Amino acid sequence: MISSFNRLAVAGILAATSWATGAFAQSTEVKIAYALARDSHYGAAADGWDKYVTETSQGKFKFVHFPSSAQGGEREVIEGLQLGTGVQAVVVSSGALSNFVPEIGVTDIPFLFRDLPHARAVLDGPIGEGILEKFKDRELIALAWGEQGFRHITNNRQPIEKPEDLAGLKIRTMENPVHITAFETAGAAPTPMSWPEVIPALQQGAIDGQENPLSVIVSAKLWEVQKYLTVSGHVYSPAMLIVSPSFWDSLSDDEKKIFADGALKGKEAMRAFVDNSEKNGVETAKAAGMQINVLSDEQKAAFQKSIQSAYDGYYETYTKELIDQIIATK
Ligand code: PAF
């Protein structure tokens, strides 16, 4: 049994430790979850956000990180945010998000964005701002757009050079209706599944391939389970920094500003990481043994043509006017 003298001594040591470390007397824990490792672009976003909030609030908030899908797949963590039963903050891809906020699906349309500056201009402008606003109606507080880069195809069957090479390819897609439609239209056999299931499915041969940006291919060392990388850049892949409404409502106005500004720091860190992956990712994958083919503009145009009929559905869902507005953004 601990004596009252020992209890006092323990309390004294704890007080001295928090004083020495400068820790806030009662710091509030902010659990943050994301799909990839701490040293990925997701970790970069979470670290940028964490650093800004911790420093600016002088330690009032303390981030606790759950990388590598430690809290489950993206759909599960988003549901937890909505209900207030899970973590307080997430960095997630757009993969599962359109099941919660359908308006974000427009950003998932293949061959919509020309390059990273185009995507960033759209997301940082009125169209992107408008989509962030929509999250509030669905019990989610989206504070900033993050980014993954352009998605490319990896598989164990053959190099993908023309649309016919996709015929019957069992390719894992995100649980994302826009992506599923595109791959179906191109003649592949899309298999939607959540990220934590992907590596085991590739190892067991249940699927032939998957598609993800270089940031993910390198961070997840996909060469351990995939032979061919086709640099197709078929679709841009955004991400988002989101907090739960119950946590948001518990903050003062000043604290809300700190979290919102911190999310923008996270976005910048994520984009910087992606810039670097886009520069070095192909070389890294090649050095690790992947067999790589880079689609020419002409080859890309053939893929775009092969999914033209999917665009009819996209026009119906998101309107031609909005899609044209995105394309016209400089
Ligand atoms: O393919 C996905 O599910 C996403 O791009 C990933 C890897 C989970 C990162 O959010």
Side-chain angles (χ1 to χ4, degrees):
M1 210 167 81
I2 186 166
S3 71
S4 35
F5 172 78
N6 280 345
R7 242 184 251 126
L8 277 176
V10 170
I13 290 165
L14 285 177
T17 313
S18 5
W19 176 82
T21 56
F24 219 82
Q26 293 210 315
S27 61
T28 304
E29 216 172 63
V30 183
K31 296 196 186 93
I32 182 163
Y34 40 95
L36 299 178
R38 185 95 183 238
D39 63 2
S40 70
H41 49 310
Y42 279 81
D47 279 333
W49 197 2
D50 172 346
K51 186 169 181 288
Y52 182 86
V53 171
T54 305
E55 281 174 12
T56 314
S57 72
Q58 296 177 322
K60 167 140 195 224
F61 295 96
K62 185 178 177 315
F63 277 62
V64 180
H65 293 245
F66 293 91
S68 306
S69 307
Q71 293 281 326
E74 294 194 322
R75 182 189 279 272
E76 286 159 88
V77 292
I78 298 164
E79 274 164 4
L81 275 192
Q82 274 186 324
L83 300 171
T85 53
V87 297
Q88 286 74 42
V90 297
V91 187
V92 284
S93 73
S94 62
L97 274 176
S98 54
N99 300 300
F100 297 86
V101 184
E103 291 83 352
I104 194 182
V106 73
T107 65
D108 292 316
I109 296 179
F111 305 107
L112 178 70
F113 295 108
R114 292 181 293 279
D115 48 27
L116 291 178
H118 178 210
R120 292 172 184 178
V122 172
L123 300 181
D124 291 345
I127 295 174
E129 287 294 325
I131 298 174
L132 288 184
E133 276 298 306
K134 296 279 177 212
F135 278 67
K136 286 194 191 121
D137 308 339
R138 316 287 153 72
E139 301 297 319
L140 292 166
I141 308 294
L143 294 178
W145 288 97
E147 167 174 276
Q148 302 213 74
F150 279 87
R151 301 178 82 89
H152 309 293
I153 298 169
T154 67
N155 85 103
N156 283 331
R157 207 171 75 175
Q158 70 189 90
I160 307 294
E161 289 166 345
K162 47 190 185 314
E164 297 75 50
D165 295 333
L166 284 176
L169 188 80
K170 274 193 250 151
I171 183 164
R172 176 267 176 178
T173 66
M174 298 197 287
E175 299 162 288
N176 180 303
V178 174
H179 287 191
I180 297 167
T181 305
F183 277 101
E184 259 164 15
T185 310
T191 311
M193 61 175 73
S194 88
W195 175 251
E197 297 168 50
V198 176
I199 307 281
L202 286 168
Q203 271 163 344
Q204 288 153 17
I207 47 174
D208 303 312
Q210 65 85 54
E211 46 87 58
N212 250 305
L214 290 164
S215 54
V216 178
I217 293 167
V218 172
S219 298
K221 298 190 174 61
L222 278 179
W223 47 78
E224 289 175 357
V225 284
Q226 293 278 262
K227 188 163 176 199
Y228 302 103
L229 162 60
T230 297
V231 182
S232 50
H234 53 278
V235 67
Y236 175 73
S237 195
M240 284 218 161
L241 288 81
I242 310 177
V243 295
S244 78
S246 53
F247 175 66
W248 187 247
D249 291 343
S250 74
L251 301 175
S252 70
D253 286 350
D254 286 348
E255 289 165 351
K256 283 181 179 155
K257 182 163 168 28
I258 294 177
F259 271 85
D261 290 347
L264 294 177
K265 298 283 178 206
K267 160 174 108 170
E268 280 163 24
M270 202 171 193
R271 285 183 178 177
F273 192 108
V274 167
D275 280 335
N276 203 34
S277 304
E278 302 275 311
K279 253 186 237 135
N280 307 322
V282 170
E283 275 314 306
T284 310
K286 197 170 174 185
M290 286 189 110
Q291 201 170 306
I292 299 175
N293 67 303
V294 181
L295 294 188
S296 66
D297 287 348
E298 216 179 354
Q299 285 175 312
K300 263 183 157 182
F303 280 91
Q304 185 166 6
K305 198 162 162 229
S306 77
I307 62 151
Q308 206 46 51
S309 62
Y311 264 74
D312 295 339
Y314 299 148
Y315 289 146
E316 208 172 296
T317 311
Y318 303 107
T319 76
K320 182 161 187 325
E321 194 194 350
L322 176 60
I323 293 172
D324 284 348
Q325 227 178 310
I326 293 176
I327 293 169
T329 302
K330 295 273 175 276

